Amino acid sequence: MNYLISILGLIVVLALAWVASNNRKGIKIRPIIQMLVIQVILTYLLLNTKFGLILIKGIAAGFEKLLEFANEGINFVFGGLANEGQAPFFLTALLPIVFISVLIGILQHIKVLPFIMKWLGWIISKVNGMGKLESYNGVASAIVGQSEVFITVKKQLGHLSPQRLYTLSASAMSTVSMSIVGAYMTMIEPRYVVTAIVINLFGGFIIASIINPYTVTEEEDLLVIQSEKQSFFEMLGEYILDGFKVVIIVAAMLIGFVALMAGVNTLFDVIFGISFQEIMGFVFAPFAILMGIPVSESVTAGGIMATKLVTNEFVAMLSLNELASGLSERSIGILSVFLVSFANFSSIGIISGAVKGLHEKQGNVVARMGLKLLYGATLVSVLSAVIVSFIL
């Protein structure tokens, strides 16, 4: 029965992407099937094999060690701020982002990350039927983040068609930045974080190639990566400050969104006798069912999904932890994978703002297709959850 629901969910997701397509005759079926097969294989390897278990444990142990290093700096500055035995979210989940941001900066500076992103993107371009730029952008978005990735390709932004710009922006919204992966791993199981990052990469190309099919000519298939010339210590200072800015922005958004959600829930409860989150749960419940979540848990799951879309993934992960006792392990796994992406309303502003800062005209183009970007990125999250439901 679970397999039948998962197959139905897969068909519905692809159909919803097809309905929104701007060129249905241009859709290339073969690359889509290849990427779906790759998603299933990778999900099985990561979640159901000894190799996957060892790999996930190794990655989790690596991030755990990085968090220990980060805590050395955090304790030096904030030691004694929390009572013994307490673990404030700001200190344990958010502040380590600063240290991981520094590591990313170092790997960028010594050209390790650009090499990995360029050649991994080239390999993926042989599978997805898209250009080198699109493939590089998908990999780079998952490493350096949804706004920073556009800086690395800023020389080409002004020459891109709206179709190619959509693919780049949708990829950025469908992935997450490596700098905050450690924070996610303190909130949900590392194996689901790693799995989501890997299959979202291909999911972004699948949905974009259906909603937004086009052909890149050999003349257009160029990749020019921009890198800033800085001294090592200039780079360190920049990435430390950038990491801290991310921490403050995420913390501010959490304070605002969590407080707003609590207030709106209470208001709806007083007026209608049901919270806003429960109402949204009923709206998203059908999608939760298609993702393989039991009907009895679908309203709760739908509420968490809606929370992620309306606010952000951090708020939704906090909500998942609060409501986990009412969900099965399989449902928690499916929801966890759904939550690991930047597919929410605030990302529209972040991505369009990032592009506009580099090229005003193209930034306006991105802003105009903001809702379509969110639609596509949300379908990527649903697709990844459906793929995981085949395996769990």
Side-chain angles (χ1 to χ4, degrees):
M1 185 65 180
N2 286 337
Y3 283 116
L4 292 176
I5 293 173
S6 297
I7 291 169
L8 178 61
L10 179 61
I11 292 169
V12 170
V13 171
L14 298 179
L16 288 172
W18 182 82
V19 167
S21 178
N22 57 20
N23 179 19
R24 292 169 189 167
K25 291 182 179 179
I27 298 172
K28 300 172 184 175
I29 304 299
R30 186 177 175 182
I32 292 171
I33 294 173
Q34 289 175 339
M35 287 187 284
L36 285 170
V37 171
I38 289 172
Q39 279 189 309
V40 172
I41 292 172
L42 289 174
T43 303
Y44 181 82
L45 286 173
L46 289 169
L47 296 181
N48 259 23
T49 66
K50 189 173 287 187
F51 167 78
L53 180 64
I54 293 170
L55 181 64
I56 298 291
K57 279 186 174 180
I59 293 172
F63 271 99
E64 190 175 326
K65 184 59 69 175
L66 292 179
L67 293 177
E68 285 179 17
F69 295 148
N71 283 333
E72 291 293 325
I74 294 167
N75 289 334
F76 181 80
V77 177
F78 294 101
L81 190 65
N83 294 328
E84 190 174 344
Q86 290 186 331
F89 184 77
F90 182 76
L91 299 182
T92 58
L94 295 187
L95 279 178
I97 291 173
V98 177
F99 176 62
I100 295 174
S101 176
V102 172
L103 290 183
I104 290 173
I106 293 171
L107 292 174
Q108 280 272 78
H109 188 77
I110 62 177
K111 308 299 183 186
V112 171
L113 283 187
F115 178 83
I116 293 171
M117 293 185 296
K118 182 177 180 179
W119 289 107
L120 190 55
W122 179 81
I123 293 169
I124 292 173
S125 71
K126 301 302 178 183
V127 177
N128 63 19
M130 294 183 170
K132 297 172 188 171
L133 176 62
E134 286 84 348
S135 302
Y136 161 82
N137 186 83
V139 176
S141 296
I143 295 175
V144 299
Q146 63 178 342
S147 55
E148 294 85 347
V149 68
F150 291 103
I151 298 173
T152 68
V153 295
K154 62 183 178 183
K155 281 191 175 181
Q156 288 176 263
L157 282 179
H159 307 291
L160 298 178
S161 65
Q163 289 80 12
R164 298 190 78 186
L165 199 56
Y166 177 91
T167 300
L168 264 61
S169 302
S171 292
M173 195 182 284
S174 302
T175 54
V176 294
S177 167
M178 277 294 171
S179 64
I180 60 176
V181 166
Y184 291 159
M185 287 183 178
T186 65
M187 304 171 75
I188 58 179
E189 285 191 48
R191 62 185 183 133
Y192 298 131
V193 176
V194 175
T195 301
I197 291 170
V198 172
I199 62 176
N200 279 354
L201 175 62
F202 290 97
F205 294 132
I206 291 169
I207 298 300
S209 65
I210 298 173
I211 290 180
N212 181 52
Y214 56 89
T215 301
V216 179
T217 64
E218 286 188 21
E219 293 77 20
E220 294 173 320
D221 194 14
L222 301 172
L223 175 59
V224 182
I225 301 173
Q226 180 78 11
S227 60
E228 296 183 23
K229 292 182 178 179
Q230 294 176 300
S231 72
F232 182 78
F233 290 102
E234 281 179 322
M235 174 277 300
L236 278 184
E238 180 180 317
Y239 274 86
I240 288 169
L241 290 176
D242 284 347
F244 193 69
K245 286 175 189 174
V246 171
V247 171
I248 297 303
I249 290 169
V250 172
M253 290 179 72
L254 283 173
I255 292 168
F257 278 127
V258 171
L260 184 63
M261 185 66 71
V264 171
N265 278 336
T266 301
L267 183 63
F268 270 69
D269 200 27
V270 170
I271 297 173
F272 304 108
I274 184 172
S275 71
F276 174 74
Q277 198 166 4
E278 286 176 311
I279 292 173
M280 293 303 292
F282 283 105
V283 174
F284 278 80
F287 293 98
I289 293 169
L290 288 171
M291 283 161 43
I293 290 171
V295 176
S296 60
E297 301 174 10
S298 61
V299 174
T300 301
I304 295 169
M305 293 166 65
T307 299
K308 188 238 181 171
L309 183 67
V310 175
T311 58
N312 59 44
E313 71 280 6
F314 279 105
V315 181
M317 287 176 189
L318 291 172
S319 183
L320 175 60
N321 286 330
E322 290 173 6
L323 302 171
S325 59
L327 298 169
S328 64
E329 282 298 318
R330 184 170 184 269
S331 295
I332 290 171
I334 293 169
L335 275 174
S336 295
V337 169
F338 174 86
L339 296 181
V340 182
S341 84
F342 288 144
N344 56 61
F345 281 100
S346 61
S347 286
I348 298 174
I350 293 170
I351 291 175
S352 61
V355 177
K356 194 167 186 174
L358 299 168
H359 195 286
E360 186 170 355
K361 183 181 175 182
Q362 294 291 56
N364 292 333
V365 172
V366 173
R368 283 196 294 272
M369 55 191 182
L371 289 178
K372 193 171 184 179
L373 280 171
L374 181 58
Y375 180 80
T378 302
L379 286 182
V380 173
S381 294
V382 176
L383 175 62
S384 294
V386 169
I387 295 295
V388 168
S389 73
F390 278 101
I391 306 302
L392 291 180

